Structures are given as C-alpha cells and as structure tokens.
Amino acid sequence: MAKQHQASPEARQGATIYSVAEHAGVSIATVSRVLQGVTVVSEPTRQKVLAAVEELGYVALGAARSLAVRHHEAHGLVLPELSGPYYAELLMGFEARAAELAQSVVLVLTDSRTDLAAAVRQLATRVDAIAVFGSAPISADVVRLLRAKKPVVVIAGEPQDGVEAVSAENLESARELAGHLLDHGKRRALFVGDPDSGPDIHNRYAGYVAAHRDRGLDAAEPVRVALREAEGTAFAQRMLAGAYEADALMCANDELALSIMATLQDAGRDVPGDVAVVGWDDVMTARYVRPGLTTVRQPVHELGALAADRLHELVSGEPPRSRAQTLPTQLVVRSSCGCRAAT
Amino acid sequence: MAKQHQASPEARQGATIYSVAEHAGVSIATVSRVLQGVTVVSEPTRQKVLAAVEELGYVALGAARSLAVRHHEAHGLVLPELSGPYYAELLMGFEARAAELAQSVVLVLTDSRTDLAAAVRQLATRVDAIAVFGSAPISADVVRLLRAKKPVVVIAGEPQDGVEAVSAENLESARELAGHLLDHGKRRALFVGDPDSGPDIHNRYAGYVAAHRDRGLDAAEPVRVALREAEGTAFAQRMLAGAYEADALMCANDELALSIMATLQDAGRDVPGDVAVVGWDDVMTARYVRPGLTTVRQPVHELGALAADRLHELVSGEPPRSRAQTLPTQLVVRSSCGCRAAT
DNA sequence: CTGTTAGCGCCTTCAT
DNA sequence: ATGAAGGCGCTAACAG
C-alpha cells in the first residue's frame, strides 16, 4: 500500500482518519476516541495514535465532522460594511470572543451582495447561529425566517419575538449630550442625521428631544441626511448658503460631524463660537481635529463579544432573553461643544 | 431499510433532500438534479420539486454538500487585526469579490489567537483556499505546511515557492515620496518605522534609501518603532527632547505620521516649516488634519479582490504564478510635505 | 428522463 | 479497551 501522504501535487486532500488508523495499526474508532478524548483509551495505543496523527499532520475534515455531529462550530456575522472604525471594532470583538469559544466566524457584508436573502440562507447552512446588525437592510421577514432554523441575535436593533438583541445605550447618553449643548446656552441646536436609518439613530434623536423637553424647550425636526461624509459636506454647504439657522449641530455620528465641521471651518466659520458641533462614536479622527470633537464613546468591542457570547449560549440550549441587553456608553467632552478641554 | 429521513414537522434542523423528495413525490436524485441544474429534468417534475423546495424552505446542508462534492465553496482570510482602515478595506475587497464568486469567507484574526498554528490548521479544514496577510505572525513553516494542503496566497508579502503573492507597489512610490521631500530642500530626512515589520515597510525604506542615492546623498538608518499611534507619540517626544535632528520625517504609515505631527504641533513646532511629515495609506484623518497629510494611496480594496480572485483560480486548477503581482499606488500630495496644496 | 445505490470522512452505539 | 457497522445529508455514477 503506497502511502500518498507526501504533499504530492495532486493528493492535496491530506490524511483521513483511515490513513491514521492504518498507520497506527488500530481501527478508526480508536483514532476518533483519542482525538475526542471522551472515552478512555489505553496509554500505549493512545501514544501510537497520537504519533500517527502528528506524523501525518492529520486534522479532521470540517465538513465530515459537522455532518456527523450535526453542528458546525461556526458563527455567522452579518454586517452592512466595514468602512469606519465602528463595524471593524465590532467585528474584532466578535471574532475574538468566537475564537475563545472555538468557533469559526463566517462573515457576510450586505453592501456587497445583490441577493442578500439568498446569501443569508446560504450562510445559515454553514453555521450554528447568526448575529445580524440591526440596521442591515435585512427585512424582518428574513430574520424571522432565519430564526426558525438557527438562533439569531440582533446587534443594535430592536428585539423581536424569539430574536434577542444586544446594543449600546443611546437615549440617555444622547439626552446628556444634547443637554450639555443646551447648557452651553445654545438655543438653536439641530439634529443632523436620519432617525429612520436604524434604532440607534432613532434613540439618539429621542434623547435630543428629551433634553429639550427637560428644559421646556422645543426640539426641532431632524435634518434627515445619510450618515456619510459626502452628505455632511453637502449639508454644511446648504447651511453656509443660509438654508439653516443654527448655533449647534448634534450629528448622528462622527463621520457626519467631522465633514460638517471641516466644511464650516474652511468657509471661515468658528467652531464652536459660531456653531458648536458634536458627534457620536469617538473615531480616531475625533481627537486629532481642532477643536477636538466632543462625542460619545460606545463599547463597540464588548458589544461584538457579547453578541458572540449570546450566540454560543443560545446554541448551547439556553433560552433567548426577551429584554435587550444594553451596554453603557460614555460622553467624551472635548472642545467642539464650547468647552475648553485639554484638546 | 426503513428510511428515517422524514422531516418531522417540528424538526428544528429544517427540511432535508429526503423530505423534499417525498413531498414532491420523486426520488432524491431528481431533487438534486433540479437544484444542481446540470442534468435535464422534465418541466412538470421540475415544477413539482421547485414547489416542494419553496414550501419547505429547503436549502442543502453545507456540510453534507461539501462532503459529497469534496470542496467547501469558501475562502479563508487570515489578517492580523482590523483597527485602522487598511485591513478593513482589504477585507471588504476580499469579501466583495468572494461574494461574486459565490464563496463564503471565514475570517481569522491573528491578534486574538493564542494558538495561531492550530487556528490556521483548523481553518484549512473548512475552506478551499487561504489568503494570509504577509506580516501576520505566521511562521513561514506554517504557510509551507498549509500550502501542502490548500492553495495559499500571501497578501503584501514575499512570494515563496509554490505560494504566490499579491501586493501594492512600495519601492518606487517610496522613492518618489522621499525624492519629493528632498526636492523641497530637506536634507535631514528620517525614516520612521521598522523595516522589519514586513516586506511592505522594508520596501518603503528601500525606496527612501534609493531616493537619497539618486541624489548622491546619504540615507540615515531607520528609526525603528512599531507602526502604532502610541509609538509615534513617544518618538515625537524623544525628538522634542532633542534626541533626533531632522527637518523631515517619512513615516511608515499614516497612523505614525498623524500622531507624530499632532505631538509636534502641540509643542509649538511648525509643520512643515520646522519639520515636514509624510505618511502612507491615505487614511480618512489624513485629509482632515491641518496641514493636510501628504501620503501614498494604495488600492487596498483591489488588493483584497485580487487575492480572492487568485484563490478562486488556484482552486480551479490554475497553476500558481511565480512572480508577485503588484498593484500601482498613487502619491497624494497635500501640505505637510511643504507644498502649498489646496488643503 | 428518473430511480437506485455507493460513497464523501467522521462519530457513535453496540458487541466483543 | 477496542473493533464493526450504521448513519449524518448530499452528489454522482449506473441502470433502467
């Protein structure tokens, strides 16, 4: 019996449990046993097997193992995209925790998919559970459909029946941030960003409204723009043209705040003198610009880890939680709000 | 003999090919046929099957299919981490192309792994091919070992025997960038960053050296610091303390350049007057700081896509290319080099 | 055109 | 303690 375990050009497939068994002079059942480490195996044979495994560099084929044990030891993660630090950080937290739990992570980015529903269904056939980002353009139907087959957790979205959710706090922090602006004496603060772009933004706007209400003030309607750099620039230009009257801008995220601030400054406006600008996320750029951007830091890494955790427990049979789990955020005060902070 | 493939109504696992077959009153082979769409099936039965598939929401189990066809329809990607826009963009490019090619992507981040070798071996059992980032702390041994089982392509690294590489151009662009600095009259330009942190950086330093040689100048030894924000700040402080004499700093990447520039400016130094600072990558922050950071833009997205492409072709049986494929980069001149650009 | 059947590689009772 | 044998769900010959 010629051994073809040498890395011959075409026999790339590697050793199987059979070749290991033969090599060690035992049955495949024994090989499986020492590898699973569940049943007891006599030390001598155990060593023989281990030696064979080592020599042939054997690793069980994922598909075969999955088929036999009826699960994949993998988690799926569905995110819109990865530009900006938010999603990347979330992914890092998710991946790190998944790694600790010995789960592979297979990633799906919705922005690059034409047939998202198909992609998600596909994903469901290769993982044990799936975490999907709340604002991802996935119809609630798909989520529900998914949930029928695999455990699902929504990140930064609303919990639905049977689908639990994890997120960072928004409303109270937004209320605090908006309050901070108002306490600087600003009386025409505008909320820039579309509350309909997701539960997160929705709640930030709600906090903005609440802060006004707290002080017996009227909150303005939100300026509905997408959370992208280009939209911020466009908005700022409209503002420079006199389309908006405001002495403070509470932006839905830093990307928006940063582009708006830069455009305003380039046109000679003083920030925060003429108009204060604050954001949300605390991206790297926020601490490099002058004035430093006042914003809110979210525990994004932890959020990702939490999602991976919950997925694992759900797979382990734990029942889904009905209430969303919310992680606390932190107000980061720099100078763009009107404060004279260090930076 | 009894078939027990009946999908009990509440079977959480979902429908199997058997339940679909039964539901449609045909054999599993027929179901498989219409789904694979290879062989011809009479239109009537075809419709019956499709209807059953639809009603049961059937999707073939990934593991079973993989086992039968002997491949996974998935690509693996090994990256160090995801902070900063570089890796995230690379991943997006990779994922997008993989999606087009109908390949799932399973991601492994080395920074979060304690046993990297094991993680990579594991990965190899669930994908058809693997792309690993060149500077990832993966010993050449592991790569070679991997290559014996699956096609591998190295991103931004040196091609090894049987392992092809894709990368962005570094040497010539660096030569151009360094030359630009020298042509501004700078005579004590320092290279900041460790050339040993990867082939990319190595070549950037080589370009720096070449530019000097081109002009009959002597190139200084590199200031070996890690490519992280904190290291940049520390370096800048040493420089402010008089440890280095320089009128220009060519930093290995933008993160370094940005933190150095900020620290220098905070201490009252004029950039680019007292000292010019340039980076590499063209991250978002680079265009928001003042002066705008002169840097080099890499086609990161395309690089990721190229890697996915090559993986796919390698899996399809195409032979590996011996020469590395290099994508062109672009010098982005702003003001931190001494030019009086728009920003 | 369609059904039957033999694997794919591994895990897991069930005997021994 | 170890071996034999039956699936896991699906694809792909091979017969009809």
Side-chain angles (χ1 to χ4, degrees):
Chain A
M1 303 284 295
K3 297 212 183 74
Q4 47 198 56
H5 296 296
Q6 311 265 11
S8 77
E10 54 210 54
R12 273 254 193 82
Q13 287 308 329
T16 71
I17 196 172
Y18 289 97
S19 53
V20 174
E22 186 178 336
H23 201 84
V26 299
S27 74
I28 63 166
T30 298
V31 175
S32 182
R33 285 191 188 101
V34 347
L35 260 25
Q36 302 312 304
V38 209
T39 322
V40 187
V41 180
S42 81
E43 195 51 27
T45 47
R46 181 184 153 70
Q47 291 306 334
K48 281 192 304 186
V49 172
L50 255 22
V53 166
E54 180 64 21
E55 207 201 328
L56 291 119
Y58 171 74
V59 185
L61 181 66
R65 181 179 161 72
S66 295
L67 185 55
V69 302
R70 307 167 74 83
H71 66 261
H72 311 270
E73 293 171 345
H75 285 348
L77 178 58
V78 181
L79 257 28
E81 37 103 7
L82 290 176
S83 63
Y86 183 85
Y87 295 121
E89 186 68 30
L90 189 70
L91 174 48
M92 286 182 71
F94 186 89
E95 204 274 348
R97 182 56 51 83
E100 288 173 19
L101 300 171
Q103 303 297 307
S104 295
V105 2
V106 10
L107 179 71
V108 168
L109 261 27
T110 66
D111 278 11
S112 66
R113 307 281 172 160
T114 48
D115 189 347
L116 185 53
V120 173
R121 279 175 187 238
Q122 231 275 64
L123 175 63
T125 81
R126 0 189 10 117
V127 301
D128 300 318
I130 300 178
V132 352
F133 195 78
S135 77
I138 296 184
S139 68
D141 298 330
V142 176
V143 173
R144 204 169 308 115
L145 182 152
L146 251 185
R147 189 270 171 274
K149 303 194 168 187
K150 307 279 178 176
V152 173
V153 3
V154 175
I155 301 174
E158 296 299 338
Q160 304 171 30
D161 77 315
V163 180
E164 62 171 87
V166 297
S167 56
E169 204 286 313
N170 282 290
L171 203 155
E172 288 309 321
S173 320
R175 184 182 203 157
E176 188 182 351
L177 178 59
H180 181 84
L181 241 27
L182 296 176
D183 291 346
H184 264 300
K186 304 295 185 180
R187 280 300 169 273
R188 282 167 308 172
L190 245 37
F191 183 89
V192 185
D194 190 350
D196 290 338
S197 41
D200 269 8
I201 314 302
H202 181 86
N203 285 326
R204 287 172 204 168
Y205 178 65
Y208 161 93
V209 173
H212 281 76
R213 192 177 46 227
D214 292 342
R215 295 163 178 71
L217 265 28
D218 278 333
E221 283 299 302
V223 180
R224 297 176 184 276
V225 305
L227 281 55
R228 277 183 273 97
E229 191 175 347
E231 298 282 325
T233 304
F235 163 78
Q237 279 160 350
R238 290 202 302 278
M239 185 167 164
L240 288 168
Y244 301 97
E245 203 54 33
D247 56 7
L249 299 173
M250 177 162 157
C251 306
N253 72 357
D254 284 354
E255 202 169 336
L256 222 40
L258 256 8
S259 62
I260 289 173
M261 190 162 93
T263 305
L264 256 27
Q265 290 178 312
D266 283 350
R269 290 292 193 287
D270 176 43
V271 175
D274 296 335
V275 51
V277 176
V278 299
W280 199 286
D281 282 347
D282 194 25
V283 301
M284 180 177 117
T285 309
R287 61 176 176 285
Y288 279 116
V289 293
R290 294 300 133 81
L293 186 67
T294 288
T295 183
V296 174
R297 179 153 52 227
Q298 307 187 56
V300 190
H301 191 92
E302 290 70 18
L303 190 58
L306 178 58
D309 255 347
R310 293 303 304 150
L311 244 35
H312 194 64
E313 299 190 331
L314 253 19
V315 169
S316 304
E318 194 173 293
R321 305 188 178 177
S322 50
R323 283 196 42 189
Q325 290 170 83
T326 301
L327 264 26
T329 58
Q330 180 193 353
L331 184 58
V332 178
V333 177
R334 285 194 269 250
S335 319
S336 69
C337 54
C339 282
R340 301 182 56 198
T343 71
Chain B
M1 294 289 290
K3 296 212 187 73
Q4 43 202 55
H5 295 296
Q6 311 254 15
S8 68
E10 62 249 25
R12 306 189 80 255
Q13 283 311 328
T16 72
I17 196 173
Y18 289 95
S19 55
V20 175
E22 187 178 336
H23 202 84
V26 300
S27 76
I28 62 167
T30 298
V31 175
S32 182
R33 285 191 189 100
V34 347
L35 260 24
Q36 302 312 304
V38 209
T39 322
V40 187
V41 180
S42 81
E43 195 52 27
T45 47
R46 179 183 153 72
Q47 291 306 333
K48 279 192 305 188
V49 172
L50 255 23
V53 167
E54 180 63 21
E55 208 200 327
L56 274 48
Y58 171 74
V59 185
L61 181 65
R65 181 179 161 70
S66 294
L67 185 56
V69 300
R70 307 167 72 83
H71 66 260
H72 310 272
E73 293 173 345
H75 285 350
L77 178 58
V78 181
L79 257 28
E81 39 102 7
L82 291 175
S83 63
Y86 182 85
Y87 295 121
E89 187 67 30
L90 188 70
L91 174 48
M92 284 181 71
F94 186 89
E95 204 275 347
R97 181 57 51 82
E100 286 173 20
L101 299 171
Q103 303 296 307
S104 295
V105 3
V106 9
L107 178 72
V108 167
L109 262 28
T110 67
D111 278 11
S112 66
R113 305 282 172 159
T114 49
D115 190 347
L116 185 53
V120 173
R121 279 175 187 238
Q122 231 275 64
L123 175 63
T125 80
R126 359 191 8 121
V127 301
D128 301 317
I130 301 180
V132 352
F133 194 78
S135 77
I138 296 183
S139 68
D141 298 331
V142 176
V143 171
R144 205 168 308 118
L145 182 152
L146 252 185
R147 188 266 174 276
K149 303 195 169 187
K150 307 277 177 176
V152 173
V153 3
V154 175
I155 301 174
E158 296 299 337
Q160 306 170 30
D161 76 317
V163 179
E164 64 172 85
V166 298
S167 56
E169 205 285 313
N170 280 290
L171 202 155
E172 288 308 321
S173 320
R175 184 182 203 157
E176 186 181 351
L177 177 59
H180 181 83
L181 242 25
L182 296 176
D183 291 346
H184 265 299
K186 304 295 185 179
R187 280 300 170 271
R188 283 167 306 173
L190 247 36
F191 183 88
V192 186
D194 189 350
D196 291 337
S197 42
D200 268 9
I201 313 302
H202 181 86
N203 285 327
R204 287 174 203 165
Y205 178 64
Y208 160 92
V209 172
H212 282 75
R213 192 176 47 227
D214 291 343
R215 294 164 178 70
L217 265 28
D218 277 334
E221 284 298 302
V223 179
R224 297 176 185 275
V225 305
L227 281 57
R228 276 182 275 96
E229 191 175 347
E231 298 283 325
T233 304
F235 163 79
Q237 279 161 350
R238 290 201 302 277
M239 184 168 165
L240 287 168
Y244 301 98
E245 204 53 32
D247 57 6
L249 300 173
M250 177 161 157
C251 306
N253 74 356
D254 284 355
E255 203 169 336
L256 222 39
L258 256 8
S259 61
I260 290 173
M261 188 163 95
T263 305
L264 257 27
Q265 289 177 313
D266 283 351
R269 289 291 192 289
D270 177 42
V271 175
D274 297 334
V275 52
V277 176
V278 300
W280 200 287
D281 282 348
D282 195 25
V283 302
M284 178 177 119
T285 310
R287 61 177 177 283
Y288 278 117
V289 293
R290 294 300 133 81
L293 185 69
T294 288
T295 183
V296 174
R297 178 152 54 226
Q298 305 187 57
V300 190
H301 191 92
E302 290 69 18
L303 190 58
L306 177 59
D309 255 346
R310 294 303 304 149
L311 245 34
H312 194 62
E313 299 190 332
L314 252 20
V315 169
S316 304
E318 192 173 295
R321 304 189 178 176
S322 51
R323 282 196 43 189
Q325 289 170 86
T326 302
L327 264 25
T329 59
Q330 182 192 352
L331 184 59
V332 178
V333 177
R334 284 196 269 249
S335 320
S336 69
C337 54
C339 282
R340 301 183 55 198
T343 69

